[in-house]
Amino acid sequence: MHTTLQTLWQETRDSDSVRHRLHDVLRQAIIRMVLAPGQALSEKEIADLFAVSRQPVREAFIRLSESGLVEVRPQRGTYVVRISRQAVLEARFIRESLEVSITLEAVKRPLQPSVLMELNELIVRQRSCIERQDHDRFFFLDEMFHRTLAFSTGQVMAWKVVEDVKAQLDRVRYLSIPDSTPIAKLADQHQAIVDAVAAADTQAAVEAMSIHQREILNSLPELERRFPDMFEEVALVTPALAI
């Protein structure tokens, strides 16, 4: 675990503040299940690991609690929260609403050829992750695809809102790759979005983005069955109790 956290730290920008870098490292570690749901987090241990004071660690914990990723329990400690099905569904709804709107903007503009080229190049790079089974790299390239689409339409604030609300959703997305949702399927969905935008086909573009954003609904029940310890209230929906 410590080695992975230090690797994530090295991937952050030196120019960012320690607090910001710590938040990014811990957020990614939680999303990638390096820090598992229910795990206790030690303020002192993390501060010692990165050779920083405890204050920026404390501030990072607060930001993570605001995103719904950790729970700070006074006098008891800080814990990675289990995945909330309701939070995932709400985040997915918000993300689909915003990203469909972003896609509509991309059709209306239309996008510059250089942007379409960049999006297509990202898809090529995503496909290169299939054979190598490089899930972390694909996850990064997936983020870049959606971020590029949002920024190219001038919807920077919309993307920031998406980033803020999708923390719980990201954990489920990460769990779903590759077994529940194969990389090739997601790359194909990205291609359908770009092709529809390039063709200025509003209906096809909206449908392609909606299908893509609803993909997680297909994998969520399976993930709850496979990883019950990672989810809240999973026992409430078991077949035995449903009779």
Side-chain angles (χ1 to χ4, degrees):
M1 180 188 76
H2 287 179
T3 301
T4 304
L5 289 176
Q6 288 173 335
T7 299
L8 289 171
W9 177 265
Q10 292 168 4
E11 292 175 358
T12 61
R13 294 179 299 184
D14 293 340
S15 58
D16 289 339
S17 67
V18 171
R19 177 183 62 181
H20 185 83
R21 295 177 72 186
L22 282 171
H23 171 266
D24 285 354
V25 167
L26 295 175
R27 187 181 191 277
Q28 286 302 311
I30 292 171
I31 288 170
R32 299 183 190 186
M33 303 298 167
V34 176
L35 298 174
Q39 182 173 339
L41 300 180
S42 167
E43 188 178 290
K44 181 181 184 303
E45 184 178 351
I46 292 174
D48 291 345
L49 177 64
F50 297 111
V52 299
S53 70
R54 295 174 68 166
Q55 181 60 31
V57 177
R58 191 174 302 119
E59 292 171 353
F61 282 176
I62 292 171
R63 285 190 62 193
L64 291 168
S65 69
E66 292 170 349
S67 299
L69 290 177
V70 306
E71 180 183 3
V72 180
R73 304 175 187 173
Q75 310 304 318
R76 295 177 61 188
T78 299
Y79 298 83
V80 179
V81 302
R82 287 182 167 79
I83 300 170
S84 163
R85 189 177 210 277
Q86 185 60 33
V88 169
L89 295 177
E90 290 178 5
R92 191 219 60 80
F93 178 84
I94 294 170
R95 182 170 189 181
E96 179 184 347
S97 300
L98 287 173
E99 294 230 36
V100 164
S101 295
I102 288 169
T103 304
L104 284 171
E105 286 296 311
V107 173
K108 291 175 185 177
R109 281 184 174 264
L111 295 185
Q112 295 294 319
S114 60
V115 175
L116 291 171
M117 186 180 300
E118 182 179 359
L119 291 169
N120 278 308
E121 174 58 28
L122 284 168
I123 295 171
V124 170
R125 291 162 63 188
Q126 289 168 11
R127 293 192 189 282
S128 72
C129 298
I130 298 173
E131 186 174 347
R132 301 197 309 268
Q133 290 293 293
D134 191 343
H135 310 138
D136 287 343
R137 181 64 177 168
F138 176 83
F139 200 83
F140 170 78
L141 292 170
D142 180 274
E143 289 288 290
M144 288 298 298
F145 177 87
H146 289 279
R147 183 179 185 274
T148 299
L149 188 61
F151 276 46
S152 67
T153 61
Q155 301 304 318
V156 177
M157 185 59 68
W159 177 250
K160 288 182 178 179
V161 172
V162 170
E163 282 192 310
D164 286 344
V165 303
K166 69 185 182 69
Q168 289 263 29
L169 178 60
D170 279 346
R171 290 201 286 177
V172 177
R173 289 173 57 227
Y174 191 83
L175 275 178
S176 71
I177 300 171
D179 297 329
S180 300
T181 311
I183 291 175
K185 184 176 185 180
L186 295 174
D188 287 345
Q189 291 175 353
H190 288 162
Q191 192 66 63
I193 294 166
V194 174
D195 290 347
V197 169
D201 188 331
T202 301
Q203 182 176 347
V206 168
E207 182 178 349
M209 180 58 82
S210 294
I211 289 173
H212 182 56
Q213 293 301 330
R214 293 174 188 178
E215 184 63 39
I216 200 69
L217 296 176
N218 298 323
S219 57
L220 182 57
E222 178 189 348
L223 294 172
E224 288 178 311
R225 287 192 296 270
R226 288 173 57 197
F227 306 105
D229 292 342
M230 295 188 178
F231 288 84
E232 294 179 351
E233 303 173 355
V234 172
L236 298 178
V237 293
T238 57
L241 295 180
I243 296 174

